[in-house]
Amino acid sequence: MQRTLYPLDSETRSKIRSTQILTSIPQIVSELVQNSLDANASQINVGVDIVEWECWVYDDGTGISKKDMAILAKGPMEGRYGSSKAYEINSLNQLSTFGFRGEALASAADICCLEISSRTKAAGETWSVIVKGGKSLHYGPAIRWRRDTAGSVVSVRDVFYNLPVRRRVHPSASKSLEIIKRDLQCFSLVFPHVSFTLEDAAKDQSNHSRGKVLSIPRTTSSLEAFRSTFGKPLAELL
Ligand SMILES: Nc1ncnc2c1ncn2[C@@H]1O[C@H](COP(=O)(O)OP(=O)(O)OP(=O)(O)O)[C@@H](O)[C@H]1O
Ligand SMILES: [Mg+2]
């Protein structure tokens, strides 16, 4: 039977693209941590609750201005391709930041509930946006995650709530935590001057949060960072 070719509607296109950019919670955490590193953070705290499909990254980086937050609040359609790291096509081979597409947060806004709370050095208050499934739910003073100093908290809840297939094939909670731990350890080798923590916020049977599962202090060199993670004997072999 002859089939007719027809264009996908723009919402479907956006959703398919978003799920290619963000495929799992460890991948989302990695994108958020890369954003914090691009914002020159020196302290990055990661929290995850895989059971509740939630993760967040707290940093002390430069923060995001109200004006830029307004663009992010537009969601996956109009907000996509908004990047402060925009490169010319012929200078893409000279990247100095992880980000270059302006797609990670727009994708999170499409297939999760994305909340960004941020404060720049010049701002007098913490501003926040909440976008879920492409719909802007809040743009105004922060309700939670309010802060006295510059930095951002990007919190992602209801991950893949509208993409059951991604949930079905998602790695287990323990595997996901292992991947996130390994990623943070790798980042710490390249950014020894940054300290990282990882909190497992999933509740155990007595309803207590599992707590801090990783703490990587800031060090003065990659070798020091390696020693702190892998121990002295292995560091001496390097
Ligand atoms: N933690 C953060 N601190 C400061 N600015 C941030 C932070 N996270 C995001 N931003 C701002 O939001 C913009 C959009 O972030 P997003 O991750 O979607 O795109 P990107 O990093 O520019 O590119 P890519 O999609 O390749 O990651 C960034 O360009 C940056 O200006
Ligand atoms: Mg990014």
Side-chain angles (χ1 to χ4, degrees), residues 47-166:
V48 284
D49 185 340
I50 310 279
V51 181
E52 292 294 331
W53 298 98
E54 186 174 357
C55 60
W56 63 90
V57 173
Y58 183 106
D59 71 49
D60 63 353
T62 51
I64 308 172
S65 69
K66 267 188 201 177
K67 197 168 114 289
D68 288 351
M69 297 269 264
I71 296 171
L72 297 173
K74 288 186 177 161
M77 313 294 268
E78 288 179 72
R80 198 180 289 276
Y81 310 125
S83 174
S84 59
K85 308 158 198 171
Y87 294 90
E88 298 287 327
I89 189 68
N90 57 7
S91 63
L92 275 174
N93 55 351
Q94 295 160 12
L95 297 183
S96 59
T97 57
F98 286 108
F100 61 99
R101 308 156 299 180
E103 291 218 73
L105 294 184
S107 301
D110 206 5
I111 53 181
C112 317
C113 178
L114 169 73
E115 177 175 357
I116 308 169
S117 298
S118 193
R119 180 172 178 150
T120 58
K121 215 170 167 190
E125 62 185 331
T126 312
W127 206 252
S128 90
V129 298
I130 304 177
V131 193
K132 181 172 183 178
K135 290 195 182 60
S136 179
L137 304 180
H138 175 78
Y139 171 74
I143 299 161
R144 56 178 195 151
W145 306 109
R146 255 183 258 150
R147 52 193 307 150
D148 300 326
T149 51
S152 309
V153 191
V154 181
S155 145
V156 180
R157 280 175 285 166
D158 297 337
V159 174
F160 304 135
Y161 78 100
N162 51 3
L163 279 168
V165 64
R166 274 274 178 250

